[in-house]
Amino acid sequence: MNVNVNDYLAVASIIFCIGALGVLIRKNLITIFLSLELMFNAANLGFVAVSEYLNLMSGDIFVIFIMVVAAAEAAILLGIAIAFYREKGTINIDKANELRM
Amino acid sequence: MSIFLKYILSIIIFFPLLSALILVFVNKKAEGLLRNLATVLSLAEFAISLFLFIYFKSNTYEFQFIERFSWIREFGASYFLGIDGVSLFMILLTTLMTFVSLLSSYKYIKDHVKEFVILMLVLETFMLGTFASLDVLLFYLFWEFMLIPMYFIIGMWGSGRRIYSAVKFVLYTLAGSLIMLFGLITIFILHYNQTGNFTFNLLKLYNTNIPLTLQIVLFIAIFLGFAVKVPVFPFHTWLPDAHTEAPTAGSVILAGVLLKFGVYGFFRFAIPLMPEAALILTPIILVLAVISIIYGALVSIVQKDLKRLVAFSSVSHMGFIMLGLFAMTAVSVDGSVLQMINHGISTGALFLFVGMLYERRHTRLIADFGGLAKKAPIFAALFMIAVLSSVGLPGLNGFVGEFLILVGSFKQYTIFTIFATSGIIFAAVYLLWMFQRVMFQDITNQKNEDFKDMTLREIMTVLPLIFLMFFIGLYPDVFLSRINPTVVHFVNIIEHNKYAYNLIKAKMGLFNA
Amino acid sequence: MNSKDLIVWLIPFFPLLGAILLGVFGKYLKNYSGYLGSVFIVISFILSTVIFFTVAYGHSFTSTLYSWIDASYFKVNVSTTVDRLSVIMLVMVTGISSLVHIYSIGYMKDDKGFARYFSYLNLFVFSMIMLIMANNFLLLYVFWEAVGFCSYILIGFWYEKKSASNAGKKAFIVNRIGDFGFALGVMLIFVNMGTLSYSSVFSGIHLLPPYLITTIALLLFAGAVGKSAQFPLHVWLPDAMEGPTPVSALIHAATMVTAGVYLIARCHIIFSYSPDASNVVLIIGGTTAFIAAFIAMTQFDIKRIIAYSTISQLGYMFMAVGIGSYAAGIFHLVSHAIFKGLLFLTAGSVMHGMSGELDLRKMGGLYSKMKKTAITFIVGGLALSGIPPFSGFFSKDAILASLFNKGDYFFWIIGELVAFMTAFYIFRLIFNVFFGESHADKNLHVHESPNVMTIPLIILACFAAVFGFIGMPPFDHSIFYNFINKDFANSFNFSPAVNNYPWYLLSTVSVIAGLSGIYAAYVFYIKKSFDLEMLKKRFKTVYALSFNKLYIDEIYDFAIVKPMKNFSVFLWRVVDSFVIDGAVNGIAQWISVTSSKVRKVQNGMLMSYIFTLSVGVIALLAYYFVR
Amino acid sequence: MLDLAQIYNGYYLEKSLLSVMPEAVLIVFAFLILLAGLFNNPSKNSVNSYYLALIGVAFSFLYLFMLSDHTIKGFYGSIVFDKFDVFLFTAILLSGFLTILMSKNYFDTRSVLIPEYYSLVLFSVSAMMLLVSSINLIMIFLSIEFMSICAYILTGYLKGESRSTEAAMKYFVLGTFASAFLLFGSVFIYAATGHLSLYKIHNFIFEQNYNAHYAYNLHTFLAIGLILLLVGLAFKMSLFPFHAWTPDSYDGAPTPVTNLMATGIKIAAFGVFIRVFTSIYSFNVFNFYNILWILAILTMTFGNFAALLQTDLKRLIAYSSIAQAGYILIGVIAGGYYGISGTLFYLLAYVFMTAGAFAIIIMFENLNLASVNIKSYSGLGYKYPLAGAAFSFFLLSLAGIPVTAGFMGKFFVFSAAIKSGYYWLVVIALLNSAFAAYYYIKIIVKMYMSDNNNNGGQLNLSNGRNSIIINAVNTNKDSQSYADNGSGKTALTEAVSLKSAAPALIIAIIICLIFTLILGIFPQPVISFASRSVTSLWSI
Amino acid sequence: MEALFYIFSIIAIFSALMVILVKNPLTSALYIILCFFALAGFYILLNMQFLAAMQILVYAGAIIVLIVLVIMLLNLAKAKDTIRDFHQMAVGIIAVLLLFAEVILYLNAAGESKPTGIYTNAVINKIGNTQIIGQFLFTKYVFPFEVASILLLVAVIGAYIFAKK
């Protein structure tokens, strides 16, 4: 039994879905961001696996950029979380309900 | 002079806009100046438009005073203007009615005078543009923007439920005209598919060969757009509201000019573009037209509000016009076109009178009046002439149009015509009853005791209309001779298509019974 | 335009000029407006007389003013044809009009709308002249409606009175119902003949299939029924008495109402090709004559009695034209115009003297107080009753003889019966008003009318007395017949009163009928041999029917007016407001309700946003999965 | 294999640099603003950075103009500068320009970091331009993130306003979530085709389309990839059901930023979508059009329904922009020369009308005349006739009434759709725009026809109270002077309003007005421009 | 190789699940580091040692540390994020299961794909994956690289603006 790209993609998909689930069910901004990171990483895994199996490099490069973006987003999250906490005293996203309808 | 004549249509169309621009720079507080200036400018506009009448060649159906410039090359749209016998009078009607309604609103419009006169003049430009364009896109541009000034006029200076009425008016007509836009674009695309050229030139689009089924669909789409404007029976409910709540000038323009666009659209666009579909759907449309006639008349009888009564009478009258147009004989279409002018004049005048009543008494309920003839004999006399013109009394304008319509439609659509003719009885019932309750009898309401007769300005307002009522009634030939070649040409196109239509009819097994 | 044409066009021109001048400048003319208006009409009358002799000693001729409507194949000119029929009518109309105008100067003296009145009256004369002279159906129709309109404004002349304005409206609308038929007839003629001018239509009518001719004839007759107040459209005429009395005399007795008869006489060719239509005319005429006379017998309003009498007499005329005896019809038309005009004017004079009192129960014994009026009234009454040698005798007898000769014995009997009833009711009126003791208010100062009123009465009375003699020698050979029959010669159903029976026998029967009517009235109202109240009780139903005008107004109200109103309200409240607007507003409502629900999607919770997004993704993926 | 020699070829580098010149200029100016912010004193900062930003945009325009005839592929297919870019760059730069014009006024009254703000605006504008010129999934992802991050920051720029922060937070979470989908989609596309460059993907699909032995697995991968990629892009275009961020972040963001988001981001998103669409989706693999037009219908219907009862003006425009996205999408679906050029035209028209509307909202906001609640607009049309008229005009343009740019845009788009045979789509769109007219008109109703006779609404009420006080104070003075006082008061408010409505804002409004009108009356130059720019796309 | 793949898979999936299921955000952060390690393992399996190193350095080392910092800074470690909203959770789980099912169904339908590129393991190993990536980053992908740098700068500005009082 050989491990092929589909297996990797399956794992990636599982992680992606878990990430999505995390975003859906958690209310803590930090946890949500962690779930988002899971989703990004699932994509990373996919890219690496595909570029390995297709004998390409561009996927790997993509992964590096994704990492950069993830870092940048972490920085933004930091800012937003702090600002949000400052205003609401919590980072529960349910408390963000001023804007509606 | 020659250059003037060459670009006369553009001049006529944009002169009011220019006037409006001039008025923008007049101080808001100088209400008298604004009013006078606007009136004088609109009178000048009317005078200019008379040149059209003078230089119009009456023995041809060809479009005249053509102006054509490229506009949107990619889509073959052009600034293409031209008029024939029908649009000529529509333009004259528009310029006249605008002048009249501006003159009529000296007292009615008390605040925001500047906005009002500017909007009226802007409205005039767009109405004129609609009548003069031979390019479908240009037409649509003018057609739809027209709604906006009218909307403001109803909404800002109206009474009672003005906002409801204004919004209803806009949404109703907008929905109709957007569906119509769909039809027009489809024809445009079809023409492209057939010839490989994009063009919005109406005269070229006439040659588009539309498959019958599609033709019917498109005709219905375009029908909706125009039918709302006419308005034909089930699409009419915006009209009583809009008419009732609009200020006098708005009602006058609405009845005098705006309603004509529907019929004009059928005449210029819907029928010639899709003659076979028009022929197939004619029975249905005629049924609607006849229902409009009788329905409008019957509902008018029991109205308690003067304006609402006149509004419903419009539904009835416009039914006549639709009947004449869709009977598609030269005489009936002649009558229709003449009746369009007549209806503009008569109903416009009626609204003017109702407006004067409202100015004096601030009510429009028939029950609040009575016995005014004693206090205001001139008013009574002129009002009566307008009423009779609307009733279709021979010797006045309404009769000629109505009779031509009926006599033209009689042969082919006898039953419809008989029903339609019964409308002339109802017209007498509701209008005379109304007149009786308002002007005759004894004064029961003390407030009517100091009812003032017409001022000189008011007389001047209605005098042109009264004059035209007699003139058209007694010597309609001036109008008919110019309308007729166009109409005959129109009918010939239809006749030409009848052959094809009969083939299709046989093939489809339509109306086998 | 030669002089003949000029004269022809000047005849209607002067009244029109008068109408406009008086209408616009009436305020400044004050009392002169009466004289001015009368002068115009008199000029018209003189010109008419000129034309009368031109035609009588020459030929009929056509004159065109201008092309009125020219819409592709529909062409109508404003043009006139003056022939023998029209000149008779012309002279009659302008003549009586002149007298009525002069009379009105006195009658309307103190009225506020003096100028207005003469303006209207002039307008009416103009319209009537044009109606008579029109040479095509459309023009005829135009002035047909125009006279109707004039009648409308004149009936409603005292518009402050609700009853007056109601009556005017009623007259106009009922006329319009007739005109509805008329208009359809005109259209039918046009679509089948391609023309509306009399000469072309009459010369080509026989080419049409019979059913079409009948339809056309009946539709035209519908117009005539409306205008001439025949059953079942007669209801407007009694109400029309709300107008000033001279108006009743001129319009609702002498001229306008006879237009229906004129129409059928004018279209005699069409009717002569359609026996069915002619029969309908006859039946309607007979019915009307009887019903109106029946109703007239029990009324108390003197003007209404005369109005019903007019209806009844018009019924006679229709019977005449119905059997094709056009000449007799026209003869009666003219003579009736004279004596009925006279009757109305005298009634007006009575009213004038009685300060507007109309109820004959409140009169009596006026003979001594207003002799001129009384005598002229009696002359008129005798003419109406058909007592020789007054004009009514000759003309009515001509009709009855025609009926008899044609073999329509039933209608002849009806005619005789009506003659009896006529004599009865008119003398009931005369006896009640002029004889017996006075029932008037004691304070009322009864006086004879001024000369300006009585002179026209006297002139008319003279005519009423002697006019009949142009009907001599009897029947076909009379002056009048010889004159008029040149016009009717080409009528194929032409039915002169043939001398199958000695004319004097028939005449005797008529005279007896008339005299017995007078006697009956005498017995009832002068001698009072019978207890009227008891009779009323005995014949309760019949009396009630007659007194309440056969309940026709009520039937109309119940069967047509009310249902129509209710239906209109239904259309307005239910169809318009509820169904259509309800649908429109319902859609709007639905949209806004939907909108308020849709808005809840955006509930501010990040969770649900993420959820929405995920659902979108899943749905898109699912689409491909199930694809 | 790489041709390393080419890298060091100076000419190549120069050319590559040229291809990003307009963006580069903006970025340079963004840095300049940041630097200038360090040295100047705070009071001058705001002015300086404002002008610097304007100059930056102007320079960018200049470069754009200079390069407008060139088609340059730079940096090994990372980026391309072609005619398509020229058009969209123009639109984006205009959006940025108008945003900057509006910003000055808006932020004068609010204490925020001004230089950073302008540099961020420039950054985000350059990110949008990069996004439009990206022809490679990596660049698309990076630019989207770049743009989004700028947008997150700008959205949350109003410190101390919880709405702003909340908006940023929501936008951030949702945006990142959608980016994850985009990324994951890219994985599958990559797996199916082996390429990240749009050109190459295009070619791959093109070949596969004619290849009978097209492997099924690739087929599936491609499907899943295309869908997930679409999700990522649709989010930025705010198509239903990926729209959820739009109303909230539009609402919470500072109004100029809302304008930037509503115009710039939308244009960039549609620009890149058109690129992706014309290279990938236009093959209609797996009947992809079905999805698109369903999305279009859902989007415009939802947008309109949600906007209908909206009372908050910014949210209303947010929903309306969702609906507009639906209309624009129709043009993309119609595809082809006319569809895409119509879409481009619409986008440009959309910039002017939306920016104009926002400019007026800002104006009223700044004058403290009106909150963003529609109610507070009652009677404003009389008080400020010109501003009211302009606002009405923009709203009518949004509603698609003729003589405005909005109508022409709709007309082009719908014509193209009919030409491509999407009859029902157009009918639904037309019905939608008919009932959308209602809520635009509702605002006009408020401005001109409010039942409230007291035209100024709340403002007038307070005025009235003031004058009552004045009256009470000046009881011993005669009534004449009171009247003078009253009129002086209103004249004063007029003067204040004129003064505080900064020229920049007025210029912005006038620009928008003129262009909305010109595009509505004489669209010929712009539509030719759009048509020309479309030619540089593939499969046109 | 297969064994390692499965081990890493189990670790990765387990830790991912734990990330979203544990209540304490700090624990979540620690679990995600575990997950990242597992992913790094995958990268090594896939012959991308450089990326594996990056994964540990950037993700685990930088990003998560940053997150932990935020948690500590805001003193959130004790703030238990209890998932009380079962309704929400059920809906979420169903949705994600659907998503998952769909993706897996697609994957099942997929077969083997053919390699198209030239960078076989042999080539990569010959040049060295770090070198290749480096070469690419500074040649073909130099522009995205630059953009990424600006992106980071902007992110820093953003963080500063948000965090500033």
Side-chain angles (χ1 to χ4, degrees), chain B residues 56-70:
Chain B
F56 188 84
K57 288 191 278 294
S58 63
N59 46 7
T60 170
Y61 65 84
E62 300 279 347
F63 287 95
Q64 306 180 29
F65 306 107
I66 285 180
E67 285 173 43
R68 191 162 183 202
F69 307 100
S70 171

Side-chain angles (χ1 to χ4, degrees), chain B residues 164 168 236-237 295 298 312 330 334 374 388 391 399 403 410 424 432-433 436 441-442 473-474 477 484, chain C residues 66 68 70-72 74 138 141 145 149 159-160 165-166 169 172 176 180 188 568 572 576 581 585:
Chain B
Y164 169 78
K168 192 173 178 183
H236 67 277
T237 54
Y295 179 90
L298 282 178
F312 272 111
D334 266 340
K374 203 193 267 174
L388 292 170
V391 168
F399 171 74
F403 197 83
F410 194 88
I424 66 172
L432 291 183
W433 193 34
Q436 182 200 355
Q441 305 180 358
D442 230 3
L474 297 176
D477 231 28
N484 199 32
Chain C
Y66 65 96
W68 182 36
D70 182 2
S72 78
F74 184 81
L138 193 66
Y141 179 74
E145 289 242 336
F149 164 68
Y159 52 79
E160 298 95 330
S165 58
N166 265 340
K169 186 190 69 188
F172 195 90
R176 270 247 155 168
F180 164 63
L188 202 57
S568 303
W572 178 34
D576 211 64
D581 241 12
N585 291 336

Side-chain angles (χ1 to χ4, degrees), chain C residues 379-395:
Chain C
V379 170
L382 287 170
L384 176 63
S385 312
I387 307 300
F390 298 101
S391 59
F393 164 72
F394 295 96
S395 55

Side-chain angles (χ1 to χ4, degrees), chain C residues 50 90 95 104 118 269 309:
Chain C
V50 173
L90 263 183
S104 296
F118 279 97
I269 297 178
S309 148

Side-chain angles (χ1 to χ4, degrees), chain C residues 65-80:
Chain C
L65 192 64
Y66 65 96
S67 159
W68 182 36
I69 301 179
D70 182 2
S72 78
Y73 55 88
F74 184 81
K75 292 187 176 61
V76 175
N77 293 334
V78 175
S79 61
T80 58

Side-chain angles (χ1 to χ4, degrees), chain B residues 410 418, chain C residues 137 144 175-189 192 205 208-227 230-233 260 263-264 267-285 318 321-322 326:
Chain B
F410 194 88
I418 290 171
Chain C
F137 279 100
W144 189 264
N175 267 308
R176 270 247 155 168
I177 294 172
D179 294 349
F180 164 63
F182 191 4
L184 287 178
V186 173
M187 288 177 220
L188 202 57
I189 291 173
N192 286 300
I205 193 79
L208 296 184
Y211 76 91
L212 260 181
I213 301 177
T214 305
T215 318
I216 290 172
L218 285 177
L219 287 171
L220 293 179
F221 178 59
V225 167
K227 191 104 313 177
Q230 293 299 289
F231 178 81
L233 298 182
L263 172 73
I264 293 176
C267 304
H268 61 273
I269 297 178
I270 298 177
F271 281 87
S272 62
Y273 277 105
S274 170
D276 295 344
S278 295
N279 281 335
V280 172
V281 176
L282 173 65
I283 292 165
I284 295 283
F318 276 102
V321 293
Y326 302 107

Side-chain angles (χ1 to χ4, degrees), chain B residues 210-220 273-278:
Chain B
I210 311 172
L212 189 75
T213 344
L214 189 58
Q215 217 180 91
I216 290 174
V217 172
L218 293 180
F219 189 89
I220 290 170
L273 281 171
M274 293 155 293
E276 284 121 32

